[in-house]
Amino acid sequence: MALLKVKFNQKKRVKLAQGLWLMNWFSVFAGILVFSMGLFLKIELRKRSEVMDNSESHFVPNSLILMGILSCAFNGFAGKICYDSLDPAKFAKWKPLLKPYLALCFFFNILLFLVALICFLMRGSLENTLAQGLKNGMKFYRDTDTPGRCFMKKTIDMLQIEFKCCGNSGFKDWFEIQWISNRYLDFSSKEVKDRIKSNVDGRYLVDGVPFSCCNPSSPRPCIQYQVTNNSAHYSYDYQTEELNLWRRGCREALLHYYSSMMSSMGAVVLLVWLFEMSVMVGLRLLHTSLESITNPEDPECESEGWVLENSLKDTFKSALENLKKIGKFNQVDAGTEGAEGEEGGKTSAITTVS
């Protein structure tokens, strides 16, 4: 029994073709939207590529860009088919191509659905990328005189100011690295010497943070040095006082920014996928209704359209049988080649003996 079997007359076929033509052009604009989203996300990721460890995060925008281009191409082609289906003479040239085209549309929609899922599932990979990238970027914060790294201080400072964050996981991350360049340290000072000697790696570590960690909304002047020293500041308690530093780490801030953006894009792609599926089903109905016309010379006669010629169960069984036949055919070919090889070997051996 056919799946979604519908009876059509000429009027219904014309309305379906016109409706599909319009829907395909809407799908072209949807493809442009998906392409634009991918391009926007790629630009946003490139803005902060210095604090990202690898290029895996660009898989999502690249996929969106590719799907957007394919959507425009597929739907533009389908629009042309729907327009020509109104004229039997023009439609005749598309008949051999419709089945392969619908098969390509099916695989395209599977890919589109997978891209939508990836938009929701990339959070874990993105978090690891940001964690390692921010850690490396903070190490290079002091290298303002090193070619290739001199921009890192500005990048980190602008990032912390824009996203109202501090450090990788929090402001204490700055306590574990030397973020002050040696050119700004007085090595004749006893305090500097003692701090460097007390550290195994010979680094100048302080319980302080860069100025970009300061919260300008705080009524108290920013305490960015000797953050954990209560006696260094008047009426100050490190454990209980609300510090005037950004509490949130930049990894969390960036992860929330990008994951919420990707989730929104994933929702849009899912809507586009549903629209594409409805277009594909409509095109299949149009194709079968035109194919099943009993009398081509009478365009006004009734016909039947369907999505699948058999039920889902029968179609699945038929597909499995076809796959098994292909597998058996390959086995037979391999066996035949092996037999031919053995016969050839025997023949050559007999020739050698004689």
Side-chain angles (χ1 to χ4, degrees):
M1 183 179 177
L3 183 68
L4 287 178
K5 198 171 186 180
V6 183
K7 285 189 176 182
F8 289 91
N9 53 29
Q10 187 188 22
K11 189 177 180 181
K12 285 184 178 180
R13 286 193 295 269
V14 169
K15 282 186 177 180
L16 179 61
Q18 290 174 340
L20 284 172
W21 178 82
L22 188 61
M23 289 176 72
N24 274 294
W25 283 110
F26 276 122
S27 294
V28 169
F29 290 117
I32 294 171
L33 176 62
V34 172
F35 175 84
S36 302
M37 289 192 306
L39 195 61
F40 174 75
L41 182 58
K42 193 172 185 68
I43 292 169
E44 285 296 303
L45 289 170
R46 281 198 177 277
K47 281 182 183 177
R48 297 167 188 94
S49 58
E50 296 89 355
V51 293
M52 292 186 175
D53 184 47
N54 53 48
S55 59
E56 287 181 10
S57 54
H58 288 272
F59 178 74
V60 173
N62 290 341
S63 300
L64 290 172
I65 289 170
L66 177 62
M67 288 296 105
I69 294 171
L70 289 177
S71 178
C72 291
F74 275 104
N75 288 292
F77 183 71
K80 174 63 175 172
I81 292 174
C82 294
Y83 182 79
D84 286 349
S85 65
L86 299 172
D87 185 353
K90 290 182 178 179
F91 181 72
K93 64 181 179 181
W94 299 116
K95 278 187 179 181
L97 299 174
L98 269 173
K99 278 190 177 180
Y101 172 74
L102 285 167
L104 285 174
C105 284
F106 178 73
F107 287 111
F108 166 74
N109 281 300
I110 290 175
L111 288 176
L112 193 62
F113 181 73
L114 291 176
V115 169
L117 286 183
I118 290 169
C119 288
F120 293 107
L121 300 175
M122 277 295 288
R123 182 183 175 90
S125 175
L126 185 62
E127 185 174 8
N128 295 331
T129 298
L130 287 169
Q132 194 59 41
L134 283 166
K135 185 178 179 181
N136 294 333
M138 288 171 65
K139 286 179 182 177
F140 303 141
Y141 182 87
R142 64 173 180 168
D143 297 338
T144 52
D145 297 327
T146 306
R149 297 178 185 170
C150 54
F151 61 86
M152 191 56 73
K153 179 184 180 301
K154 179 182 177 182
T155 300
I156 297 290
D157 283 333
M158 294 302 294
L159 177 68
Q160 293 187 147
I161 291 169
E162 181 181 353
F163 286 90
K164 299 179 180 180
C165 59
C166 185
N168 191 341
S169 301
F171 67 90
K172 289 185 180 179
D173 293 335
W174 289 108
F175 299 174
E176 300 171 2
I177 63 171
Q178 180 182 341
W179 55 273
I180 301 174
S181 176
N182 287 336
R183 68 181 293 189
Y184 301 113
L185 296 176
D186 182 8
F187 287 95
S188 62
S189 169
K190 185 177 182 302
E191 181 189 351
V192 173
K193 287 180 180 179
D194 290 343
R195 281 191 178 274
I196 292 175
K197 286 179 182 178
S198 64
N199 191 281
V200 178
D201 298 328
R203 294 177 296 170
Y204 181 75
L205 303 180
V206 293
D207 57 341
V209 297
F211 78 97
S212 52
C213 283
C214 296
N215 181 358
S217 301
S218 175
R220 180 168 186 160
C222 185
I223 297 174
Q224 66 177 109
Y225 295 107
Q226 295 183 320
V227 176
T228 58
N229 187 358
N230 292 335
S231 61
H233 312 283
Y234 177 73
S235 184
Y236 177 75
D237 188 351
Y238 164 69
Q239 298 295 336
T240 60
E241 180 151 341
E242 186 70 26
L243 300 180
N244 50 10
L245 303 176
W246 301 119
R247 290 283 189 173
R248 186 169 63 162
C250 289
R251 177 180 57 184
E252 181 187 347
L254 283 172
L255 184 63
H256 175 73
Y257 175 71
Y258 284 120
S259 60
S260 60
M261 187 187 296
M262 286 184 185
S263 296
S264 301
M265 290 180 178
V268 173
V269 174
L270 274 179
L271 291 174
V272 173
W273 172 75
L274 289 172
F275 194 74
E276 291 281 358
M277 286 294 291
S278 63
V279 171
M280 186 180 71
V281 169
L283 191 61
R284 174 62 175 167
L285 287 172
L286 179 65
H287 167 228
T288 51
S289 65
L290 289 170
E291 284 281 335
S292 62
I293 292 176
T294 53
N295 185 10
E297 295 179 0
D298 181 17
E300 295 185 3
C301 68
E302 290 189 348
S303 63
E304 290 182 341
W306 56 83
V307 176
L308 292 176
E309 193 170 358
N310 300 312
S311 64
L312 278 172
K313 186 178 179 181
D314 293 338
T315 303
F316 184 69
K317 282 183 179 179
S318 176
L320 282 178
E321 287 175 2
N322 289 332
L323 287 173
K324 285 178 182 178
K325 285 179 182 178
I326 292 170
K328 286 179 181 178
F329 181 75
N330 290 335
Q331 287 178 0
V332 169
D333 283 351
T336 305
E337 288 175 4
E340 287 176 357
E342 288 178 4
E343 288 176 4
K346 289 178 182 177
T347 304
S348 60
I350 292 168
T351 306
T352 306
V353 169
S354 62

